């Protein structure tokens, strides 16, 4: 039996389990069975479109073309089939469709939508078709762009006959089948030319700019090839929610899901020839090309904002940091303030500094990340993303990069964002500037430096000559990656000047970040030590985890949690000996951050220790590794007094096989 026959057999068997889904919508069991039987019969009887013949015989391109017309019989059936399944969907913004009436057939129109499911195109058609006279009028003009793989399965092909389709071939399809790349290129050129002709006749070309379905419901970057279908055209933005729940990817069972289709206001994207501008209504907005920069990328990003503006905030994905985090109930885009309340300069580019930059950008401020690499700054500004640390996420418009030290002159607040092992790469360039400007400097980076002082704020004071009253630290249990993803977390603040507290807390409070004073609000050393030491002990926890998993297998949660109290007790002892106040370590930057680093799913330091225990030395430096390396500058690593720290140091820095010291360490940790 072929794979296709097996799939068809499974489909036929499982498909009738949909009876109970249809019955929930009000159909009788007999009616449900009848409509399911009709689906199977019609899907098997409906052939692949003629355009698919081109791939077997490329000479048929001229004869067959790339357009497949709507077929009334499948359309009418699919409308009946989807109606009970999509009964709980609602349509919003129907009134915006009327804005298209003056331009249809005169100015080209393109519909764009986010992409969640194989059923998105049929869902858009069905929901528009059933939304009233104006919605039906628009639905009947839709021509969807469809890849060849959409026509292959009988199960999904039926829905594509509800409307006209233009065949195109994706870059991935071309890469996967290089023998067909030449004909695929010709198909794409033909499809674009025909799309222009169809738009001139009043048809609406419909596309999914993400290029493929989102696997988690969140917006992905829009592909650049969409530019040609939207530039200098009117765009109708559609936002979909819930279609991915109708037909999960792992089976053939439908669900009666709850969802929504939101119709945004049509917008002219780009410019029109003068002869067409006479038809352009005054009540439509226009997104014009920028005077400089990448025009294509500018338009593509703005399309994503048009779609995203009507989506739930959890679906914003790549573009989430472009919306104000302080606005909970509505989507409000971050703007560049004409008069910023703060000119914030972040000193150094790192994962945490960029994440903190996106957090601060929620306020009426301007954020500049100083980074001495001019090429990286230029690329990041042109593409509106951090090309090194977070190339996926778009950055807010009030956030930029600069390699010019003079940006420090106007700063009202500095954020110390340089990793400890990179201080000498950044601060010599800006030392004079930050000495002249007396703005506060708040450190957000955890870890030890390589100096005899050992902590970042102490280095700023003693090596770079910064007034200690200007210095502060903000820390907590958080990963920078999850700050970028806008997951709820918090910080605590400690400063040497009480007047700075409220100002910093206000900047670091949003709808997803919550900040408070440290237990000892002036214990900047203790807050720094909590964040620095936890990285070392997380690495040690990874060593223990790796050792026991390697030798015993399975999870070792019992062991890790059993020894965690002993780990933390030793950490507090070291932190107190180095000058922190004992109670400070009970706060967010101490105990809470220790728990995250030792047991969190994304901790880099624990992963580093785990790899070392399994015989692999990672190439990338972590704060925990660097901390172990430089701690001898600050203290004597006493094996009797600090057995955990000493064992980690011997393993990671002195390269002693952890298996040789694990037994001794185990005997010391099993009772405490």
């Amino acid at each position: 039996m072929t794979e296709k026959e097996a799939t068809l057999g499974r489909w036929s068997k499982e498909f009738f389990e949909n009876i109970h889904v249809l019955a929930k919508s009000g159909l009788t069991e007999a009616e449900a069975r009848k409509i399911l039987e009709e689906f199977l019969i019609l899907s098997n009887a409906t052939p692949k479109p003629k355009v698919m013949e081109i791939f077997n015989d490329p000479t048929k391109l001229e004869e067959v073309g790339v357009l497949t017309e709507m077929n009334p019989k499948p359309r009418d059936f699919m409308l009946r089939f989807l109606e009970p399944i999509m009964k709980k969907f609602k349509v919003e913004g129907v009134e915006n469709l009327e804005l298209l009436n003056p331009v249809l057939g005169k100015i080209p129109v393109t519909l764009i939508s986010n992409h969640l499911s194989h059923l998105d195109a049929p869902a858009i058609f069905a929901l528009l078709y059933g939304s009233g006279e104006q919605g039906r009028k628009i639905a009947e003009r839709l021509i969807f762009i469809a890849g060849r793989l959409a026509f292959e399965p009988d199960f999904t092909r039926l829905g594509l006959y509800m409307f006209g389709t233009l065949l195109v071939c994706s870059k991935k399809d071309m890469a996967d089948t290089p023998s067909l790349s030449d004909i695929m290129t010709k198909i794409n050129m033909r499809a674009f030319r025909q799309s222009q002709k169809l738009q001139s006749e009043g048809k609406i070309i419909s596309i999914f700019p993400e290029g493929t379905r989102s696997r988690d419901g969140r917006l992905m970057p829009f592909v650049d090839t969409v530019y040609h279908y939207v530039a200098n055209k009117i765009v109708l933005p559609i936002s979909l929610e819930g279609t991915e729940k109708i037909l999960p990817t792992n089976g053939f069972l439908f669900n009666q899901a709850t969802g929504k289709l939101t119709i945004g206001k049509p917008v002219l994207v780009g410019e029109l020839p003068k002869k067409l501008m006479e038809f352009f209504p005054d009540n439509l907005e226009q997104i014009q090309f920028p005077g400089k920069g990448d025009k294509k990328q500018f338009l593509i990003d703005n399309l994503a904002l048009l779609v995203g503006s009507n989506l739930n905030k959890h679906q914003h994905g790549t573009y989430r940091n472009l919306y104000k985090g302080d606005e909970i109930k509505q989507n409000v885009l971050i703007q560049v303030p004409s008069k910023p309340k703060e000119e914030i300069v972040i000193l150094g580019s790192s994962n945490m500094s960029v994440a903190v930059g996106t957090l601060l950008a929620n306020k009426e401020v301007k954020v500049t990340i100083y980074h001495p690499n001019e090429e990286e700054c230029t690329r990041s500004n042109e593409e509106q993303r951090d090309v090194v640390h977070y190339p996926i996420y778009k950055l807010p418009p009030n956030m930029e990069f600069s390699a010019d030290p003079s940006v420090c002159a106007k700063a009202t607040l500095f954020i110390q964002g340089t990793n400890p092992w990179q201080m000498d790469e950044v601060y010599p360039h800006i030392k004079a500037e930050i000495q002249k400007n007396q703005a506060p400097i708040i450190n957000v980076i955890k870890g030890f430096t390589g100096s005899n002082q050992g902590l970042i704020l102490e280095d700023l004071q003693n090596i770079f000559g910064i007034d200690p009253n200007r210095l502060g630290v903000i820390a907590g249990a958080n990963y920078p990656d999850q700050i970028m993803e806008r997951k709820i977390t918090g910080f605590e603040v400690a400063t040497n000047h009480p007047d700075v507290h409220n100002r910093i807390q206000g900047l670091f409070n949003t709808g997803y970040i919550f900040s408070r004073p440290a237990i000892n609000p002036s214990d900047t050393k203790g807050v720094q030590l909590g964040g620095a030491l936890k990285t070392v002990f997380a690495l040690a926890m990874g060593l223990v985890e790796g050792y026991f998993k390697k030798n015993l297998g399975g999870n070792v949660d019992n062991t890790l949690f059993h020894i965690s109290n002993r780990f933390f007790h030793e950490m507090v002892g070291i932190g107190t000996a180095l000058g922190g106040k004992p109670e400070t370590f009970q706060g967010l930057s101490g105990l809470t951050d220790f728990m995250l680093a030792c047991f969190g799913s994304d901790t880099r330091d624990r992963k580093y220790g785990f790899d070392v225990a399994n015989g692999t030395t990672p190439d990338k430096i972590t704060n925990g590794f660097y901390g172990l390396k430089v701690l001898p500058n600050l203290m004597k690593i006493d094996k009797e007094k600090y057995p955990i720290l000493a064992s980690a140091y011997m393993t990671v820095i002195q390269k002693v096989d952890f298996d040789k010291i694990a037994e001794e360490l185990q005997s010391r940790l099993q009772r405490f």
Side-chain angles (χ1 to χ4, degrees):
M1 181 183 294
T2 67
E3 182 178 349
K4 181 177 179 181
E5 288 171 337
T7 303
L8 286 173
R10 179 183 163 219
W11 170 16
S12 301
K13 181 179 179 181
E14 291 186 14
F15 193 60
F16 282 98
E17 294 180 26
N18 285 298
I19 288 176
H20 75 279
V21 176
L22 296 174
K24 285 181 180 179
S25 68
L27 297 181
T28 66
E29 185 173 325
E31 290 171 333
R33 178 173 291 278
K34 182 178 179 182
I35 200 170
L36 291 172
E37 289 175 346
E38 193 174 347
F39 190 110
L40 286 174
I41 293 170
L42 191 58
S43 61
N44 286 321
T46 303
K48 292 182 182 180
K50 283 188 171 294
V51 293
M52 297 297 286
E53 297 176 7
I54 299 170
F55 298 104
N56 295 322
D57 183 0
T59 63
K60 288 195 172 184
L61 175 60
E62 292 302 319
E63 173 192 342
V64 175
V66 293
L67 175 66
T68 299
E69 299 280 1
M70 178 273 296
N71 187 322
K73 188 174 181 180
R75 180 198 66 180
D76 294 344
F77 170 76
M78 286 300 296
L79 286 171
R80 286 194 293 115
F81 181 79
L82 290 174
E83 192 278 329
I85 294 171
M86 303 186 68
K87 204 170 187 176
K88 295 182 179 180
F89 273 70
K90 60 182 179 179
V91 180
E92 295 181 357
V94 176
E95 66 279 4
N96 291 326
L97 297 176
E98 296 180 3
L99 299 173
L100 293 175
N101 288 337
V103 302
L104 289 173
K106 299 170 184 175
I107 300 176
V109 177
T110 301
L111 180 151
I112 63 171
S113 172
N114 59 313
H115 199 6
L116 304 172
S117 164
H118 283 307
L119 283 176
D120 284 346
I124 291 172
F125 180 89
L127 290 169
L128 289 177
Y129 195 87
S131 64
E133 183 179 346
Q134 183 66 31
R136 178 173 295 193
K137 174 182 174 182
I138 296 300
E140 290 176 337
R141 293 173 179 265
L142 297 182
I143 304 288
F144 275 89
I145 300 293
R148 73 183 182 101
L149 299 181
F151 291 105
E152 289 287 352
D154 297 336
F155 193 67
T156 57
R157 186 172 67 242
L158 196 58
L160 295 180
Y161 279 103
M162 297 174 71
F163 33 76
T165 57
L166 277 176
L167 175 67
V168 297
C169 302
S170 67
K171 289 181 179 180
K172 183 179 184 305
D173 196 7
M174 295 172 77
D176 290 345
T177 51
S179 61
L180 296 175
S181 60
D182 288 343
I183 188 61
M184 287 180 174
T185 300
K186 293 178 181 178
I187 287 171
N188 288 348
M189 294 172 62
R190 176 81 173 253
F192 178 66
R193 289 196 303 270
Q194 190 146 5
S195 73
Q196 293 179 302
K197 180 177 182 296
L198 290 166
Q199 285 175 316
S200 69
E201 297 169 355
K203 297 293 185 181
I204 299 174
I205 299 300
S206 306
I207 56 177
F208 297 109
E210 292 165 281
T212 186
R213 290 169 294 134
S214 171
R215 297 308 191 264
D216 59 12
R218 293 177 289 186
L219 273 179
M220 300 184 296
F222 282 16
V223 297
D224 56 4
T225 50
V226 75
Y227 170 82
H228 303 290
Y229 286 93
V230 298
N232 306 318
K233 296 175 175 65
I234 290 176
V235 168
L236 177 67
I238 295 290
S239 304
L240 278 175
E241 296 182 44
T243 52
E244 77 281 9
K245 299 172 185 175
I246 298 175
L247 180 62
T249 57
N250 58 353
F252 304 108
L253 295 180
F254 287 90
N255 295 309
Q256 190 185 47
T258 299
K260 182 171 67 171
L261 180 147
T262 305
I263 305 164
K265 291 185 177 180
V267 177
L268 172 60
V269 176
E271 301 166 353
L272 292 174
K274 288 184 178 180
K275 64 178 181 179
L276 293 183
M277 280 303 294
E278 63 182 271
F279 301 112
F280 185 67
D282 295 334
N283 58 349
L284 290 190
E285 296 183 7
Q286 180 179 8
I287 299 174
Q288 294 182 308
F289 290 108
K292 60 180 181 178
D294 189 334
K295 295 182 179 180
K296 178 186 289 189
Q297 193 62 52
F298 174 82
L299 288 189
I300 290 171
D301 290 341
N302 274 274
L303 291 177
L305 297 182
L306 289 175
V307 172
S309 63
N310 290 313
L311 290 174
N312 181 288
K313 65 180 180 180
H314 298 302
Q315 289 183 268
H316 288 156
T318 295
Y319 303 91
R320 72 186 67 201
N321 290 299
L322 302 185
Y323 296 89
K324 284 193 174 182
D326 292 341
E327 297 285 347
I328 305 298
K329 296 183 178 179
Q330 56 183 336
N331 294 325
V332 178
L333 288 172
I334 294 173
Q335 304 290 340
V336 179
S338 56
K339 295 182 179 180
K341 294 179 181 178
E342 297 270 12
E343 293 271 358
I344 300 173
V345 174
I346 298 178
L347 307 174
S349 180
S350 61
N351 290 77
M352 183 58 84
S353 72
V354 174
V356 165
T358 65
L359 162 60
L360 295 170
N362 284 287
K363 308 299 180 180
E364 296 295 314
V365 302
K366 180 181 178 183
V367 179
T368 303
I369 295 181
Y370 170 76
H371 181 45
N373 189 315
E374 188 169 354
E375 181 184 350
E376 286 181 16
C377 290
T378 300
R379 282 187 58 206
S380 293
N381 287 333
E382 288 177 349
E383 299 178 28
Q384 201 183 338
R385 60 193 180 96
D386 174 17
V387 297
V388 175
H389 302 102
Y390 293 108
I392 294 177
Y393 296 101
K394 286 293 176 178
L395 298 179
N398 58 340
M399 184 175 171
E400 64 181 18
F401 292 76
S402 176
D404 183 358
S406 69
V407 298
C408 298
K410 294 183 179 180
T412 60
L413 176 68
F414 292 107
I415 300 295
Q416 196 306 109
T418 304
N419 286 318
W421 57 88
Q422 296 174 315
M423 299 286 283
D424 290 339
E425 298 175 20
V426 174
Y427 278 87
H429 301 285
I430 56 175
K431 180 178 178 179
E433 296 289 348
I434 62 175
Q435 286 177 334
K436 290 178 191 174
N437 187 335
Q438 293 298 300
I441 302 177
I442 307 298
N443 176 47
V444 297
I445 299 295
K446 302 166 186 174
F448 290 101
T449 69
S451 73
N452 291 330
Q453 286 77 33
L455 295 173
I456 289 173
L457 294 189
E458 281 64 25
D459 280 7
L460 291 178
Q461 177 183 343
N462 298 309
I463 297 177
F464 297 103
I466 305 300
D467 180 354
N469 286 322
R470 295 173 56 192
L471 302 176
V473 59
I474 187 163
N478 38 58
Y479 299 126
D481 293 10
Q482 293 189 19
I483 294 175
M484 292 293 291
E485 294 171 350
R486 294 197 164 187
K487 292 173 180 172
I488 292 174
T489 188
F491 292 96
E492 60 182 15
V493 186
T495 65
N496 291 330
H497 202 296
D499 292 345
V500 179
H501 264 285
N502 290 338
R503 180 179 168 193
I504 300 305
Q505 277 185 244
L507 288 169
F508 278 81
N509 270 320
T510 71
Y512 59 99
I513 302 287
F514 304 94
S515 300
R516 68 189 191 196
I519 291 175
N520 283 303
S522 61
D523 188 12
T524 58
K525 179 169 281 191
V527 171
Q528 288 182 90
L529 283 167
L533 285 168
K534 65 91 183 181
T535 66
V536 174
F537 280 86
L539 191 153
M541 189 69 77
L543 287 171
V544 174
E545 181 185 22
Y547 171 78
F548 280 103
K549 279 195 172 182
K550 179 177 68 174
N551 289 288
L552 300 177
N555 290 328
V556 291
D557 294 345
N558 283 4
T559 303
L560 301 184
F561 278 89
H562 178 69
I563 64 176
S564 64
N565 184 275
R566 181 65 180 83
F567 271 48
F568 183 67
H569 179 75
E570 183 173 310
M571 186 185 103
V572 173
I574 296 172
T576 303
L578 290 174
K581 296 180 180 179
E583 59 269 30
T584 301
F585 296 98
Q586 302 301 318
L588 293 179
S589 62
L591 175 60
T592 309
D593 201 7
F594 168 84
M595 292 169 59
L596 176 71
C598 289
F599 305 114
S601 58
D602 292 337
T603 170
R604 293 186 176 96
D605 290 305
R606 194 183 79 191
K607 177 67 166 57
Y608 191 103
F610 185 90
D611 289 343
V612 169
N614 282 278
T616 301
T617 301
D619 294 329
K620 194 170 184 180
I621 294 176
T622 68
N623 294 67
F625 166 80
Y626 193 74
L628 274 177
K629 182 179 178 181
V630 301
L631 264 174
N633 296 337
L634 306 179
M635 59 179 288
K636 180 183 178 181
I637 300 181
D638 189 328
K639 183 178 179 181
E640 296 301 317
K641 195 173 183 180
Y642 305 123
I644 300 164
L645 178 62
S647 297
Y649 184 81
M650 287 188 289
T651 302
V652 175
I653 305 302
Q654 296 180 329
K655 306 298 183 183
V656 178
D657 188 346
F658 187 66
D659 287 4
K660 295 180 179 180
I661 60 176
E663 186 174 342
E664 180 183 351
L665 180 64
Q666 179 180 346
S667 66
R668 298 196 61 164
L669 293 181
Q670 60 191 0
R671 292 185 180 88
F672 51 84

XYZ file of all heavy atoms in Angstrom, residues 178-206:
229
model
N 15.194 21.585 -7.319
C 15.985 22.417 -8.236
C 15.757 22.082 -9.711
O 15.938 22.946 -10.572
C 17.436 22.129 -7.810
C 17.373 20.834 -7.053
C 16.036 20.821 -6.400
N 15.333 20.852 -10.002
C 15.105 20.481 -11.402
C 13.942 21.270 -12.000
O 13.820 21.377 -13.226
C 14.815 18.984 -11.511
O 13.648 18.639 -10.776
N 13.079 21.814 -11.132
C 11.916 22.563 -11.617
C 12.079 24.066 -11.429
O 11.132 24.827 -11.670
C 10.648 22.100 -10.880
C 10.204 20.652 -11.103
C 9.014 20.324 -10.200
C 9.839 20.417 -12.565
N 13.255 24.494 -10.986
C 13.424 25.906 -10.629
C 13.203 26.845 -11.820
O 12.646 27.940 -11.663
C 14.811 26.139 -10.029
O 15.826 25.791 -10.952
N 13.613 26.423 -13.025
C 13.438 27.290 -14.195
C 11.961 27.515 -14.504
O 11.522 28.658 -14.700
C 14.141 26.693 -15.415
C 15.650 26.789 -15.315
O 16.134 27.586 -14.481
O 16.343 26.071 -16.053
N 11.181 26.442 -14.531
C 9.760 26.598 -14.833
C 9.050 27.319 -13.687
O 8.105 28.089 -13.902
C 9.104 25.225 -15.123
C 7.676 25.421 -15.635
C 9.091 24.353 -13.893
C 7.568 26.202 -16.925
N 9.516 27.097 -12.467
C 8.917 27.793 -11.332
C 9.135 29.301 -11.426
O 8.253 30.098 -11.095
C 9.483 27.259 -10.011
C 8.979 25.870 -9.642
S 9.682 25.306 -8.065
C 8.770 23.783 -7.822
N 10.316 29.697 -11.870
C 10.595 31.122 -12.056
C 9.652 31.715 -13.102
O 9.110 32.816 -12.926
C 12.058 31.331 -12.486
O 12.919 30.817 -11.469
C 12.362 32.796 -12.703
N 9.445 30.982 -14.187
C 8.530 31.455 -15.228
C 7.095 31.537 -14.703
O 6.346 32.458 -15.040
C 8.593 30.528 -16.439
C 9.933 30.572 -17.172
C 9.958 29.585 -18.340
C 11.300 29.619 -19.043
N 11.369 28.633 -20.167
N 6.702 30.560 -13.895
C 5.362 30.567 -13.302
C 5.169 31.814 -12.449
O 4.135 32.496 -12.524
C 5.142 29.291 -12.467
C 4.952 28.084 -13.387
C 3.944 29.440 -11.531
C 4.956 26.756 -12.654
N 6.166 32.140 -11.626
C 6.059 33.300 -10.740
C 5.958 34.606 -11.524
O 5.190 35.504 -11.164
C 7.248 33.348 -9.787
C 7.171 32.272 -8.717
O 6.136 31.641 -8.541
N 8.259 32.059 -7.999
N 6.730 34.705 -12.590
C 6.666 35.914 -13.426
C 5.297 36.034 -14.088
O 4.704 37.118 -14.139
C 7.781 35.873 -14.478
C 9.182 35.953 -13.887
S 10.489 35.687 -15.114
C 10.208 37.063 -16.222
N 4.802 34.912 -14.556
C 3.488 34.898 -15.200
C 2.397 35.263 -14.189
O 1.472 36.031 -14.497
C 3.240 33.502 -15.780
C 1.876 33.280 -16.416
C 1.822 33.838 -17.825
N 0.584 33.468 -18.476
C 0.472 32.559 -19.443
N 1.559 31.916 -19.866
N -0.689 32.299 -20.005
N 2.512 34.722 -12.982
C 1.510 34.987 -11.949
C 1.469 36.472 -11.591
O 0.390 37.053 -11.413
C 1.798 34.156 -10.710
N 2.635 37.105 -11.486
C 2.653 38.522 -11.122
C 2.031 39.374 -12.226
O 1.231 40.277 -11.954
C 4.085 38.981 -10.843
C 4.174 40.444 -10.506
C 3.599 40.931 -9.343
C 4.798 41.328 -11.366
C 3.654 42.283 -9.037
C 4.868 42.677 -11.070
C 4.299 43.158 -9.901
N 2.383 39.079 -13.473
C 1.790 39.845 -14.581
C 0.274 39.679 -14.604
O -0.472 40.651 -14.800
C 2.395 39.392 -15.922
C 3.845 39.808 -16.113
C 4.248 39.672 -17.584
N 4.045 38.325 -18.106
C 4.955 37.363 -18.063
N 6.145 37.598 -17.516
N 4.704 36.165 -18.571
N -0.177 38.437 -14.369
C -1.618 38.197 -14.418
C -2.321 38.847 -13.229
O -3.463 39.300 -13.347
C -1.922 36.701 -14.438
C -3.392 36.397 -14.724
C -3.579 35.127 -15.530
O -2.625 34.414 -15.810
N -4.805 34.847 -15.918
N -1.638 38.918 -12.098
C -2.247 39.567 -10.935
C -2.513 41.043 -11.225
O -3.549 41.584 -10.823
C -1.341 39.428 -9.712
O -0.193 40.254 -9.802
N -1.611 41.688 -11.932
C -1.815 43.100 -12.269
C -3.008 43.275 -13.205
O -3.805 44.207 -13.052
C -0.543 43.667 -12.911
C 0.627 43.737 -11.945
C 1.866 44.287 -12.614
O 2.357 43.748 -13.613
N 2.380 45.370 -12.081
N -3.134 42.363 -14.151
C -4.258 42.430 -15.077
C -5.579 42.211 -14.335
O -6.559 42.931 -14.552
C -4.086 41.381 -16.175
C -5.204 41.348 -17.213
C -4.891 40.327 -18.293
C -5.970 40.316 -19.373
N -7.281 39.882 -18.844
N -5.599 41.220 -13.443
C -6.813 40.929 -12.687
C -7.205 42.101 -11.794
O -8.390 42.429 -11.647
C -6.607 39.670 -11.846
C -6.520 38.355 -12.629
C -5.975 37.236 -11.740
C -7.895 37.966 -13.179
N -6.221 42.748 -11.196
C -6.524 43.903 -10.342
C -7.096 45.056 -11.153
O -7.982 45.774 -10.686
C -5.270 44.337 -9.587
C -4.917 43.399 -8.430
C -3.609 43.764 -7.751
O -2.615 44.062 -8.420
N -3.597 43.737 -6.430
N -6.618 45.211 -12.367
C -7.161 46.276 -13.225
C -8.613 45.997 -13.604
O -9.362 46.918 -13.962
C -6.305 46.428 -14.485
O -6.457 45.291 -15.335
N -9.018 44.721 -13.500
C -10.399 44.339 -13.806
C -11.285 44.343 -12.556
O -12.455 43.963 -12.616
C -10.414 42.933 -14.424
C -9.673 42.855 -15.758
C -9.471 41.419 -16.225
O -9.822 40.489 -15.450
O -8.949 41.218 -17.339
N -10.710 44.751 -11.415
C -11.494 44.839 -10.189
C -11.362 43.659 -9.260
O -12.020 43.606 -8.215
N -10.508 42.683 -9.594
C -10.283 41.554 -8.699
C -9.358 41.987 -7.551
O -8.579 42.931 -7.676
C -9.663 40.376 -9.444
C -10.553 39.795 -10.539
C -11.799 39.134 -9.953
C -12.618 38.449 -11.040
N -13.844 37.814 -10.479
N -9.440 41.268 -6.443
C -8.614 41.574 -5.273
C -7.643 40.419 -5.059
O -8.059 39.300 -4.739
C -9.484 41.774 -4.020
C -10.442 42.956 -4.229
C -8.621 41.996 -2.784
C -11.445 43.133 -3.098
N -6.365 40.679 -5.283
C -5.352 39.652 -5.066
C -5.157 39.487 -3.559
O -5.010 40.458 -2.821
C -4.022 40.041 -5.741
C -4.233 40.188 -7.263
C -2.953 38.993 -5.447
C -4.726 38.931 -7.947
N -5.146 38.232 -3.102
C -5.101 37.945 -1.665
C -3.879 37.104 -1.341
O -3.655 36.062 -1.966
C -6.376 37.203 -1.248
O -7.529 37.930 -1.645
